Amino acid sequence: MSDQEGGSKILKWARTKSPWIIHFNTGGCNGCDIELLAALTPRYDVERFGIVLKGSPRHADILAVTGPVTHQIKDRLLRIYEQMPEPKYVIAIGTCAVSGAPFWDGYNVIGGVDKLFPVDVYVPGCPPKPEAIIEGFAKLLKKIETEEKEK
Amino acid sequence: MVKIVVGPQHPALKEPERFLLETEGEYVKNVRVRIGYIHRGIEKAMENRTYIQNLYLAERICGICSDAHTTCYVQAVEELLGVEPPPRAKFIRVITAELERIHSHMLWLGVAAHEIGFDTLFMYVWRDREIVMDLLELISGNRVNYAMNTIGGVRRDLNSEHVDKILKGLNVLEARTKEYIKMIEKEPSVLKRTVDVGILSKADAIKYGAVGPTARASGVKRDVRADDPYAAYDETPFNVITSDGCDCFARIIVRAEEILESINITREALKKLPDGEIKIRVKPRIPPAEALSRVEAPRGELMHYARSNGTDKPERYKVRTPTLANIPALCKMLVGGYIADVPIVLAGIDPCFACMDRVLIVDHEKKKSEVWDLEKLRRYGREWYSKR
Amino acid sequence: MSREEEFVKKLEERFGRRVRDPRIQRARRIFVEIDGKDLREVLTYVKNELGFDHISAITGLDVGEDIELIYHVAYENSIELSIKTKVSKKDPRIDTVADIYDPAGIYEREVHDLLGVVFEGNPDLSPLLLPDDWPSGVYPLRKDKSFEELRELVEKSGVSGK
């Protein structure tokens, strides 16, 4: 096994065993955000899956988006997405990030996140319970694992 | 001099903010505010939907104090209609509102602890907060956005099993909260980072129109629940908690003690809970009228203004949220303070907290500007304090 | 005589018929109407003489030919006095009250954004809520554009919040 192969194996292993997340609110009401935060605290504790919340997009593998996308936030959201290193994954948390929900026809709202870039996992709910958010992450990790195997 | 931009990401209605801080050396010299990143146009959307549909929108103005918004909304519409909800409904509104205040204040206590680098307290508080989340889920069916209120009453009744469980949960919460207050008052790292930080004098609190715990921590005894009673608050007497500290420490203590007061109000309301209907039927069309409704949300005075035009949709619906009211006071607190204290002072008014993601620092001495994220600002604060 | 009635009486004694249509809707809610030119005088009086030291909000409404402005001020956080005035939609201008009530500055910025009322003397009327590159002359809370038209217009103009 060459050094390069060994290196990429470690990367794959790290990506599925300890994905780092950046959380971005694009216009949501805070409901999903507090539930995402609750998922990090002792009762739910997603850190036991190696999931760590990071402040910088350059360190993140997964972008967790909450809220409908507003016009004013659109550029910043795109910039954050572009700053993330490849391969990157997106998880849309809550019905607003999935489709725009009750704000879909608002004058300052674009709609769901998938209008701007592809989404890997949708977690509907208003807001989804921490259990549902954890399931979303579990599904995403499974998806990453399968993709890595197929490569 | 450095310019710092704090924001923009931040969640409630119009409350995502961006702050441009002009700094000189280690001091903040001037602050400019820009909000609107999360502006979803709810007021316009409400003119386009029926009163029943708007119940759903009002709930989603803010996910943390959703019950305060629906209470304010249904009160406004009930005043337009000229109807009164049944007494049992009013008591259930008080119980839900106080449980929500407990969850919101505990959430804030955890976030404030995080801002000063005290993550142990953050995790403890959030662990115990799950008790009240369970109670809210028990009575409403959802942890957040409870959908308890409807025009003319409430949607779900409480039974004796609910009452027992709530009382048990409150006992645990009371013991834990007392424990936290004892700890906070003695913990040197909390005292060092919050005492005499973010000063807002009583005169300034009134001048700049501060509301809620921010005003009460500056000795302004104002609480809509006591001064302009709604729901069943005139039948559940309570103390308005104030402090003369005028700093971030006082804001922590006021909120912690308000948790205890909310526990007492909930107990009192459960004891006095009258029998009877929980809602009355109302007509979908509302004759032309206007109404001004106020509620003490966890963050302070919340105001809704409604005008009807005889159809099933409002002519105009106006919402003024407490964080917006506290922004002028916040700017006053920041000016003259240390850059290292910005995160805790910002958190001190309890804005919907995700707002302060990025910070732009413009150094006027070095004529440069840079964007910091809040994480960097926090780290700067911790290192700066550890060197002192 | 209730406190609400006392306040109405004092307003009428001081301003006579310049204060129109005073109405006590219920306990702790008073509504009155005045002309735009009297606004500063009335607000100074209610703040300094009557003790209404807190401004809760400024509401703006599109009422056809005019834009109605409602200044909600509170006495000891209890009695809410709503002072209504109108400005013409063609040239919506009114004096600022930010020097009387400090927080009014930010509420005026909000009304300026959403209804296009110019508050003369307010030092900062930069966008507060709407995107920086929002099309000029479009005010979301005016009734001349329907909800759907507004959405189309914004989408066409390619607002992106730069």
Side-chain angles (χ1 to χ4, degrees):
Chain A
M1 190 165 62
S2 72
D3 281 358
Q4 208 178 350
E5 270 174 42
S8 71
K9 258 194 180 162
I10 291 175
L11 273 182
K12 277 178 201 168
W13 173 81
R15 202 167 287 136
T16 51
K17 296 300 176 198
S18 181
W20 286 11
I21 294 175
I22 178 162
H23 165 226
F24 193 77
N25 181 327
T26 58
C29 70
N30 249 348
C32 299
D33 310 63
I34 60 174
E35 290 298 74
L36 178 61
L37 210 50
L40 295 163
T41 53
R43 183 185 283 184
Y44 302 99
D45 193 15
V46 290
E47 281 193 23
R48 65 203 149 115
F49 303 116
I51 297 174
V52 182
L53 200 63
K54 281 283 143 188
S56 164
R58 293 180 207 279
H59 298 161
D61 305 301
I62 301 174
L63 173 62
V65 183
T66 53
V69 182
T70 62
H71 285 291
Q72 174 80 342
I73 211 90
K74 180 180 146 194
D75 256 32
R76 278 162 204 280
L77 179 61
L78 284 173
R79 214 183 302 155
I80 283 182
Y81 182 72
E82 280 156 11
Q83 281 175 355
M84 287 169 66
E86 291 283 355
K88 47 193 163 193
Y89 303 92
V90 178
I91 177 164
I93 294 173
T95 315
C96 288
V98 172
S99 67
F103 310 109
W104 68 277
D105 56 353
Y107 57 82
N108 202 25
V109 174
I110 298 170
V113 182
D114 53 7
K115 294 229 169 139
L116 296 180
F117 42 71
V119 173
D120 296 281
V121 173
Y122 296 92
V123 185
C126 189
K129 292 177 73 169
E131 290 94 326
I133 296 175
I134 294 172
E135 206 206 339
F137 281 121
K139 284 197 166 148
L140 182 57
L141 293 184
K142 204 166 267 172
K143 184 179 170 181
I144 299 173
E145 221 167 304
T146 343
E147 274 179 11
E148 297 284 352
K149 266 185 201 150
E150 281 167 4
K151 263 184 200 168
Chain B
M1 175 125 136
V2 179
K3 259 187 201 158
I4 310 185
V5 176
V6 185
Q9 294 76 273
H10 160 89
L13 174 75
K14 306 171 199 163
E15 301 182 349
E17 307 116 345
R18 187 185 66 194
F19 293 94
L20 175 73
L21 308 177
E22 288 177 11
T23 63
E24 211 168 83
E26 283 162 349
Y27 295 95
V28 178
K29 284 280 161 202
N30 194 14
V31 184
R32 291 198 60 197
V33 192
R34 170 80 162 92
I35 57 179
Y37 290 87
I38 319 275
H39 179 64
R40 291 162 286 172
I42 290 185
E43 290 180 12
K44 183 83 175 176
M46 285 180 106
E47 293 172 10
N48 209 39
R49 286 170 168 75
T50 67
Y51 287 98
I52 295 293
Q53 288 172 322
N54 280 338
L55 207 47
Y56 192 87
L57 271 187
E59 187 100 42
R60 279 148 189 85
I61 291 171
C62 173
I64 300 178
C65 43
S66 58
D67 185 71
H69 280 281
T70 51
T71 308
C72 209
Y73 172 76
V74 296
Q75 280 177 185
V77 178
E78 281 159 8
E79 195 177 327
L80 293 175
L81 276 162
V83 297
E84 276 274 306
R88 191 176 173 86
K90 288 185 173 180
F91 274 83
I92 295 176
R93 278 182 190 171
V94 168
I95 293 163
T96 327
E98 292 310 312
L99 289 177
E100 182 183 73
R101 195 179 318 276
I102 297 170
H103 118 68
S104 177
H105 279 0
M106 291 189 89
L107 178 148
W108 178 83
L109 196 56
V111 172
H114 177 63
E115 297 300 346
I116 56 174
F118 193 3
D119 275 358
T120 316
L121 181 62
F122 169 44
M123 288 295 169
Y124 270 120
V125 174
W126 276 63
R127 181 196 67 187
D128 294 330
R129 176 176 162 269
E130 288 297 325
I131 299 169
V132 71
M133 299 307 277
D134 285 344
L135 295 179
L136 285 164
E137 189 176 359
L138 175 79
I139 61 170
S140 74
N142 203 2
R143 287 163 52 92
V144 178
N145 296 350
Y146 328 104
M148 281 297 271
N149 291 312
T150 188
I151 300 161
V154 292
R155 291 178 59 231
R156 284 164 185 263
D157 205 352
L158 297 183
N159 60 32
S160 59
E161 188 206 348
H162 292 156
V163 175
D164 286 346
K165 282 192 175 162
I166 294 174
L167 287 173
K168 265 189 205 147
L170 290 180
N171 288 341
V172 183
L173 284 170
E174 188 178 31
R176 299 299 305 168
T177 310
K178 283 184 175 159
E179 193 70 20
Y180 292 138
I181 295 178
K182 235 195 267 172
M183 185 170 87
I184 291 165
E185 282 175 340
K186 289 208 186 99
E187 176 61 42
S189 57
V190 175
L191 297 176
K192 216 174 163 186
R193 289 298 308 273
T194 57
V195 172
D196 289 337
V197 167
I199 297 280
L200 181 74
S201 70
K202 185 176 176 179
D204 281 343
I206 296 173
K207 182 166 182 256
Y208 293 101
V211 296
T214 309
R216 292 196 284 276
S218 291
V220 181
K221 198 171 179 182
R222 284 183 182 174
D223 187 318
V224 180
R225 291 175 292 172
D227 305 329
D228 189 3
Y230 55 95
Y233 281 110
D234 43 355
E235 291 167 69
T236 51
F238 68 102
N239 298 323
V240 176
I241 308 281
T242 58
S243 163
D244 294 326
C246 304
D247 56 7
C248 282
F249 182 70
R251 281 164 217 140
I252 295 179
I253 294 298
V254 163
R255 285 194 180 89
E257 285 182 357
E258 276 185 13
I259 297 176
L260 296 176
E261 207 53 48
S262 289
I263 292 171
N264 289 336
I265 299 174
T266 316
R267 282 194 186 127
E268 184 80 11
L270 285 169
K271 204 163 67 186
K272 287 189 181 162
L273 187 63
D275 289 330
E277 289 295 302
I278 56 163
K279 65 178 162 195
I280 49 166
R281 289 188 69 86
V282 294
K283 291 184 197 120
R285 278 170 208 285
I286 297 185
E290 63 184 339
L292 176 68
S293 170
R294 292 164 84 213
V295 159
E296 183 75 19
R299 285 161 189 77
E301 176 206 32
L302 167 68
M303 198 209 86
H304 286 198
Y305 171 85
R307 184 176 288 187
S308 52
N309 55 9
T311 66
D312 57 353
K313 292 171 185 166
E315 172 76 15
R316 172 82 169 93
Y317 203 86
K318 153 94 187 168
V319 177
R320 205 277 284 128
T321 52
T323 304
L324 183 66
N326 273 331
I327 283 177
L330 173 67
C331 294
K332 169 75 193 155
M333 288 178 221
L334 287 171
V335 171
Y338 290 121
I339 303 171
D341 292 331
V342 170
I344 182 65
V345 176
L346 271 179
I349 67 155
D350 191 5
C352 287
F353 54 85
C355 68
M356 342 166 225
D357 261 20
R358 294 171 79 79
V359 178
L360 167 71
I361 299 208
V362 179
D363 193 327
H364 276 230
E365 270 169 16
K366 295 173 193 149
K367 294 269 183 215
K368 64 173 185 184
S369 75
E370 49 183 308
V371 178
W372 288 13
D373 61 16
L374 195 65
E375 197 52 47
K376 192 172 171 193
L377 190 64
R378 257 183 222 130
R379 227 180 306 128
Y380 170 85
R382 283 172 210 157
E383 280 163 14
W384 190 80
Y385 268 94
S386 67
K387 279 185 218 142
R388 293 187 95 200
Chain C
M1 193 191 261
S2 70
R3 280 188 306 173
E4 291 86 341
E5 284 164 343
E6 267 175 45
F7 283 133
V8 169
K9 200 177 146 224
K10 277 184 185 157
L11 276 172
E12 281 177 333
E13 275 170 10
R14 174 76 168 70
F15 294 102
R17 256 178 285 169
R18 287 196 287 163
V19 168
R20 293 188 301 270
D21 203 13
R23 185 161 53 88
I24 299 168
Q25 177 149 317
R26 66 164 174 90
R28 302 183 293 276
R29 294 289 182 274
I30 311 172
F31 293 85
V32 297
E33 261 186 76
I34 56 166
D35 281 338
K37 61 177 169 43
D38 296 331
L39 179 70
R40 288 181 56 87
E41 198 186 337
V42 173
L43 281 181
T44 311
Y45 174 72
V46 298
K47 188 190 177 198
N48 296 340
E49 309 291 322
L50 301 185
F52 284 81
D53 57 1
H54 176 74
I55 182 158
S56 288
I58 302 173
T59 303
L61 299 93
D62 182 344
V63 287
E65 293 289 294
D66 297 319
I67 289 173
E68 188 173 319
L69 296 169
I70 313 178
Y71 294 75
H72 307 281
V73 290
Y75 170 80
E76 287 185 347
N77 196 31
S78 169
I79 298 175
E80 280 276 348
L81 168 65
S82 300
I83 300 170
K84 300 178 186 176
T85 185
K86 279 177 185 164
V87 291
S88 141
K89 209 178 190 175
K90 277 187 196 127
D91 185 29
R93 281 174 189 281
I94 194 158
D95 288 335
T96 179
V97 295
D99 51 332
I100 304 172
Y101 289 100
D102 265 276
I106 201 161
Y107 300 144
E108 286 178 353
R109 242 173 110 185
E110 180 190 0
V111 178
H112 175 257
D113 255 22
L114 299 175
L115 283 150
V117 178
V118 178
F119 293 88
E120 283 174 344
N122 187 323
D124 183 12
L125 286 175
S126 58
L128 181 75
L129 292 169
L130 298 177
D132 297 327
D133 54 352
W134 184 261
S136 68
V138 177
Y139 302 107
L141 286 182
R142 287 198 186 177
K143 302 267 183 190
D144 44 7
K145 293 237 172 0
S146 78
F147 199 54
E148 292 74 22
E149 280 168 354
L150 198 60
R151 183 180 163 81
E152 267 172 41
L153 195 139
V154 174
E155 262 170 20
K156 255 186 233 159
S157 66
V159 173
S160 67
K162 265 176 199 162

